Amino acid sequence: MRSILPLFVLLLPAMLVAKPKPKAESTPQQQETARIAALIKPSLVKISQLGKDGVDGLGTGFIISKEGLIATNLHVIGRGHRLQVETSDAKIYDVEEVHASDFELDLAILRVKASGLQPLALGDSDKITQGESIVAMGNPQGLTFSVVQGVISAVRELDDSPLPMIQVAMPIERGNSGGPIVDVRQRVLGILTLKSMKTQNLGFATPVNALKKLLEQPNPVPIANWLSIDAFDTKVWKPVMGAHWTQQAGIMNVDALGEGFGGRALCLYLPDEPKADSYEVTVSMRLDDESGAAGLAFCSDGGDVHYGFYPTGGKLRLTRFEGPIVNDWAILKDIESEAYHPGEWNQLRVRVEKDRLLCFMNGEQVMDVPDTGLRGGKVGLCKFRQTKAEYRNFHWGADLAEKPISAEVKAALSKAITTHLAKPTNPPSSDFITQPALARRLISERIKKLESQAEALRTLEETVHRQHIAHELSVELAKPEDKSRLLTIAMLIARHDNAELDPTPYENAVQRMADDLRTDADIKAGGTKATTRLSRYLFKENGFHGTRSFDYDNKSNSYINEVLDDRDGLPITLSVLYLELAERLGLKDVFGVSVPTHFMVGYRVGTVTHLVDVFNGGKEIPLPPILGDEEAEPLQPTKKKDIAVRMITNLMSRSEETKAGMERYRQYRDLILTVAPESISQRSQRLEDRLRTGDKTGAREDAKWLLEHPPEGVSDDGLQQLGQLYQDLGKE
């Protein structure tokens, strides 16, 4: 074989003198990006959501104050999580306060105990130029303090955003959320949010001017209180085998893997457990992914042993679990059923008897399984795999099946339904108001049988609900002023638009607030000390605040349940909460004050009246000079009926100018006239509207009322014309 040594010897000198290939020089744009990245990196932070087993979530934030304020997205910090912040020099801080937050804008400001931090300057997003070069930094996929360059594509309206968003052209991935986009002068123009991302190279950022507004109107919540948001009552529910369980507005939520085999986890009901030989347990449940599984658990020993009835993969399954691994499990039945509606709310019900298990889905029996393997134990909820599920209306009892309607009542309601279908413009029968639940049930049954008439029946169902709410509201407002409850009134108004709303969790939440304050020394002292303490509790310690101007007209601000959920609202809804707590705490000199374009809370100490602006953090403001005049009328408390009318009027003013919006407007006007029939302006408007839409029966009813209650200032000719109209409508 020929030797290769001579060739190697010949090449060696060339190898020794060969120069390395020169590195390609960076472009001016790359150099500029590197310069900006180096300058802003000390102001970037990594934000971690901490769970029982470590980090549950990761995102980006940036420093906006030397004293420890950090901006990010609200979804980055989640709800009810302990939070940590890590700076670029690897220092770690525990978050002490959620200084400000806004659900609609997906923004949050955190506070850590630190000083001497390096904040970023906030620019002016109103002066953004299309095509402007920008740089963003974040922690994509956990790769900390990564940099990316791009340009501003546009500023545009999005359907799900309350204000225009900045469209950016740059690669965006999970972990970039909450990071800043900065211009060439390192000024923040916006905050990246994955909630509006379309593709990895097309995303959106919230304008920085919205963040400035948040800074001007903070709603601070100490981290201890933030951890309690969405937490369920540990005296009622006990999680078993992990997963992440939360509760909001009476709905239980679960996500993350459980610790049991197959991601199994339970949440058991604690107050009591069935002792009888037979009982039933039920819940309404909705899955986010049909490949997962979630449903009812019963006959539980508090650990690995229990039954489960749940949908999985589009089927229904009943399983007996007798240990921690799959070999200990027995699938008793696994079927497909049209009674189950994937992706929707479904009602699961199980009846446990001595020798068998009966399972129901949406009222239809789907299983009858002989089995005596387990009895006794607790009842609750179960879930498997990477499932996200929601549960509501959990109950157990001797018999939870819908009771049959008596033949007499069914006949009367059925006849009323048929009569309405023959002429849907007629007012519903009074039988519906006296039997609202039964009426809705029969109407739903008829909808299934008569699909062609479904639209008319759904309209009737809604009308029954609204009339029932109007009736309940009238009953509540007819009580003496010191006997009616503002929270009940506000919840009825919210339920007018949401038949499924369960008021109980909100009643309980407000009662817990009152219980928190009941023994407080300042509350017991009354007067200024009490109102100052109540303001501090709501606006400093629990983050309630007036909604920001860019989202002021959102209907959510008028629904007391959403005000309690999101902790922001209008002057009137925040005042309702304030007044309700004051009443429960026995603060008798606190009252509502209606002033033009605003609503406040007043209180008296001796002969002096004070005002509390609940929309601006409970700030006390001086009274106008005339109100301090000894000869002037003292400020009069606003009656609860007037508060109710003002809340409904707010909803009217926010109705959209569409067909559905105008119909909703009419419904609000009807509600006002039910509780305040003396409203001449609303009555006159309804008369005109009914004439225009051809509702002659309704128009004649309003004309008759106006004749019997003639408005002040109407001339004799006007009354004569109204009388003629009434007669003409009777002839047709």
Side-chain angles (χ1 to χ4, degrees):
M1 187 176 74
R2 183 183 296 179
S3 172
I4 63 170
L5 183 59
L7 179 62
F8 177 77
V9 172
L10 288 171
L11 291 174
L12 182 59
M15 293 170 64
L16 291 174
V17 299
K19 294 182 179 178
K21 187 176 181 179
K23 243 184 186 180
E25 290 187 6
S26 58
T27 66
Q29 186 178 19
Q30 290 171 333
Q31 293 173 4
E32 179 68 0
T33 300
R35 180 188 70 83
I36 295 172
L39 290 171
I40 67 175
K41 182 177 179 180
S43 302
L44 266 287
V45 301
K46 180 177 73 174
I47 299 174
S48 300
Q49 294 180 17
L50 302 182
K52 186 174 68 172
D53 299 319
V55 177
D56 284 345
L58 186 68
T60 303
F62 57 99
I63 299 165
I64 57 175
S65 159
K66 293 180 180 180
E67 289 71 36
L69 290 184
I70 293 163
T72 186
N73 289 143
L74 183 58
H75 80 262
V76 165
I77 68 173
R79 295 169 72 106
H81 288 276
R82 193 162 63 87
L83 303 167
Q84 272 188 350
V85 167
E86 181 179 349
T87 55
S88 61
D89 58 358
K91 291 182 180 177
I92 296 177
Y93 301 89
D94 287 325
V95 173
E96 296 194 337
E97 178 186 80
V98 179
H99 182 66
S101 60
D102 190 287
F103 177 81
E104 291 292 329
L105 291 177
D106 190 30
L107 289 178
I109 299 173
L110 310 179
R111 183 185 292 280
V112 299
K113 191 174 183 180
S115 59
L117 299 180
Q118 184 172 321
L120 288 178
L122 303 184
D124 186 352
S125 50
D126 289 340
K127 297 180 180 178
I128 283 175
T129 303
Q130 189 173 26
E132 184 175 356
S133 295
I134 52 173
V135 171
M137 289 190 75
N139 305 301
Q141 305 297 334
L143 302 175
T144 56
F145 308 110
S146 302
V147 64
V148 62
Q149 64 185 34
V151 297
I152 290 178
S153 299
V155 176
R156 65 178 71 251
E157 302 277 352
L158 297 179
D159 290 341
D160 56 353
S161 177
L163 77 170
M165 299 287 280
I166 304 171
Q167 180 184 330
V168 297
M170 58 171 49
I172 301 174
E173 296 180 354
R174 294 191 178 279
N176 280 119
S177 280
I181 57 170
V182 302
D183 62 12
V184 295
R185 296 172 62 184
Q186 305 94 56
R187 298 172 304 184
V188 179
L189 300 180
I191 302 92
L192 286 173
T193 172
L194 278 181
K195 291 183 75 174
S196 299
M197 188 178 78
K198 304 298 182 186
T199 72
Q200 284 191 328
N201 291 307
L202 177 59
F204 291 87
T206 304
V208 73
N209 286 359
L211 179 67
K212 292 179 183 178
K213 191 73 174 178
L214 208 60
L215 270 170
E216 294 169 3
Q217 297 178 313
N219 53 308
V221 180
I223 196 64
N225 287 355
W226 186 262
L227 291 174
S228 70
I229 292 177
D230 287 356
F232 51 80
D233 192 338
T234 55
K235 294 180 180 178
V236 177
W237 292 101
K238 178 185 179 182
V240 179
M241 292 183 280
H244 182 220
W245 297 86
T246 59
Q247 184 177 29
Q248 183 181 21
I251 295 179
M252 295 286 290
N253 299 274
V254 64
D255 58 18
L257 277 170
E259 297 168 357
F261 185 85
R264 178 169 53 142
L266 307 180
C267 197
L268 299 178
Y269 186 69
L270 295 180
D272 48 23
E273 59 185 62
K275 302 296 184 185
D277 292 335
S278 64
Y279 64 90
E280 296 188 357
V281 58
T282 184
V283 75
S284 291
M285 181 276 308
R286 179 168 63 185
L287 274 175
D288 78 321
D289 183 351
E290 295 303 318
S291 65
L296 286 167
F298 51 101
C299 298
S300 171
D301 70 344
D304 291 311
V305 177
H306 60 93
Y307 289 105
F309 173 52
Y310 46 88
T312 177
K315 294 184 176 182
L316 301 177
R317 181 174 294 175
L318 176 65
T319 304
R320 186 175 65 237
F321 300 88
E322 296 186 84
I325 61 175
V326 69
N327 293 339
D328 300 322
W329 303 353
I331 297 177
L332 303 179
K333 198 155 189 175
D334 187 50
I335 63 168
E336 292 184 355
S337 173
E338 293 183 357
Y340 176 65
H341 307 299
E344 301 178 12
W345 283 102
N346 290 271
Q347 185 194 45
L348 288 68
R349 179 165 60 93
V350 172
R351 180 167 182 81
V352 179
E353 296 187 346
K354 282 185 179 181
D355 57 352
R356 62 199 323 102
L357 303 171
L358 291 85
C359 301
F360 302 80
M361 178 61 66
N362 294 318
E364 180 179 327
Q365 183 175 316
V366 293
M367 298 181 188
D368 183 349
V369 180
D371 187 88
T372 58
L374 306 174
R375 288 299 181 270
K378 292 191 174 294
V379 295
L381 311 172
C382 62
K383 61 85 62 180
F384 306 85
R385 299 187 281 284
Q386 281 280 18
T387 302
K388 291 183 179 179
E390 300 171 278
Y391 310 81
R392 68 185 184 193
N393 299 329
F394 174 88
H395 300 287
W396 78 265
D399 182 5
L400 302 179
E402 287 189 336
K403 303 303 178 285
I405 305 173
S406 71
E408 182 181 355
V409 172
K410 187 172 183 177
L413 290 174
S414 297
K415 181 179 178 181
I417 293 171
T418 302
T419 301
H420 183 85
L421 288 175
K423 195 171 183 181
T425 57
N426 280 351
S429 166
S430 60
D431 290 337
F432 294 133
I433 300 174
T434 58
Q435 301 279 358
L438 297 180
R440 290 184 66 197
R441 179 173 157 191
L442 275 183
I443 292 167
S444 296
E445 291 175 0
R446 184 70 69 93
I447 287 172
K448 294 176 184 178
K449 295 177 182 177
L450 305 171
E451 198 61 38
S452 62
Q453 297 175 324
E455 185 175 353
L457 285 169
R458 290 192 185 99
T459 300
L460 173 59
E461 185 181 19
E462 291 175 4
T463 305
V464 170
H465 167 71
R466 289 193 302 273
Q467 288 199 354
H468 172 63
I469 292 297
H471 173 73
E472 292 294 307
L473 193 55
S474 297
V475 170
E476 188 67 24
L477 289 170
K479 296 177 182 177
E481 193 75 3
D482 61 341
K483 299 297 182 184
S484 61
R485 300 305 296 260
L486 263 180
L487 183 62
T488 301
I489 293 165
M491 287 302 305
L492 284 167
I493 293 170
R495 287 175 60 203
H496 179 268
D497 288 358
N498 184 0
E500 303 303 322
L501 176 59
D502 181 4
T504 305
Y506 298 100
E507 292 277 0
N508 294 341
V510 173
Q511 186 57 47
R512 283 195 294 271
M513 291 182 193
D515 292 341
D516 286 346
L517 290 167
R518 196 172 306 284
T519 58
D520 189 281
D522 287 342
I523 293 293
K524 290 182 175 180
T528 302
K529 284 189 175 181
T531 54
T532 300
R533 178 68 186 100
L534 183 50
S535 294
R536 187 169 74 251
Y537 176 83
L538 285 175
F539 310 120
K540 302 298 182 186
E541 297 175 11
N542 285 285
F544 285 94
H545 62 284
T547 191
R548 279 90 187 186
S549 58
F550 45 71
D551 200 32
Y552 192 88
D553 289 334
N554 193 313
K555 274 191 172 183
S556 297
N557 302 319
S558 294
Y559 299 137
I560 192 68
N561 59 304
E562 297 199 39
V563 171
L564 287 164
D565 282 341
D566 299 333
R567 305 194 178 200
D568 64 353
L570 300 176
I572 188 79
T573 44
L574 291 172
S575 294
V576 165
L577 176 58
Y578 195 106
L579 293 168
E580 178 70 21
L581 286 173
E583 187 169 6
R584 294 187 185 218
L585 293 168
L587 306 179
K588 299 186 182 302
D589 293 324
V590 179
F591 52 90
V593 179
S594 182
V595 296
T597 72
H598 206 50
F599 197 93
M600 289 186 250
V601 169
Y603 70 94
R604 293 197 180 100
V605 178
T607 59
V608 179
T609 301
H610 304 258
L611 290 180
V612 179
D613 189 352
V614 296
F615 190 72
N616 289 300
K619 179 182 178 182
E620 294 206 13
I621 61 175
L623 296 175
I626 190 171
L627 297 178
D629 190 335
E630 292 182 3
E631 297 180 0
E633 284 286 327
L635 213 54
Q636 294 300 314
T638 304
K639 294 185 179 298
K640 290 175 181 175
K641 184 173 83 169
D642 295 328
I643 291 176
V645 169
R646 185 158 179 163
M647 293 180 73
I648 303 167
T649 303
N650 280 343
L651 287 168
M652 286 180 70
S653 67
R654 286 156 177 77
S655 297
E656 299 175 358
E657 292 185 5
T658 62
K659 183 178 179 181
M662 293 309 296
E663 180 58 32
R664 185 68 75 184
Y665 183 95
R666 295 184 184 103
Q667 293 164 6
Y668 294 139
R669 187 176 53 205
D670 289 344
L671 185 60
I672 289 177
L673 286 170
T674 300
V675 300
E678 71 281 2
S679 176
I680 300 296
S681 61
Q682 297 293 345
R683 180 80 61 177
S684 301
Q685 286 180 23
R686 190 170 72 175
L687 171 58
E688 292 179 14
D689 189 55
R690 284 174 163 176
L691 288 170
R692 186 170 57 253
T693 57
D695 180 6
K696 295 174 181 177
T697 302
R700 192 166 193 264
E701 172 192 317
D702 285 332
K704 179 182 179 183
W705 192 96
L706 289 168
L707 285 170
E708 293 173 350
H709 306 82
E712 291 184 13
V714 177
S715 65
D716 291 339
D717 287 344
L719 288 175
Q720 189 174 359
Q721 291 176 16
L722 185 61
Q724 186 62 51
L725 173 64
Y726 175 74
Q727 291 180 14
D728 292 343
L729 288 170
K731 296 175 184 176
E732 299 179 20

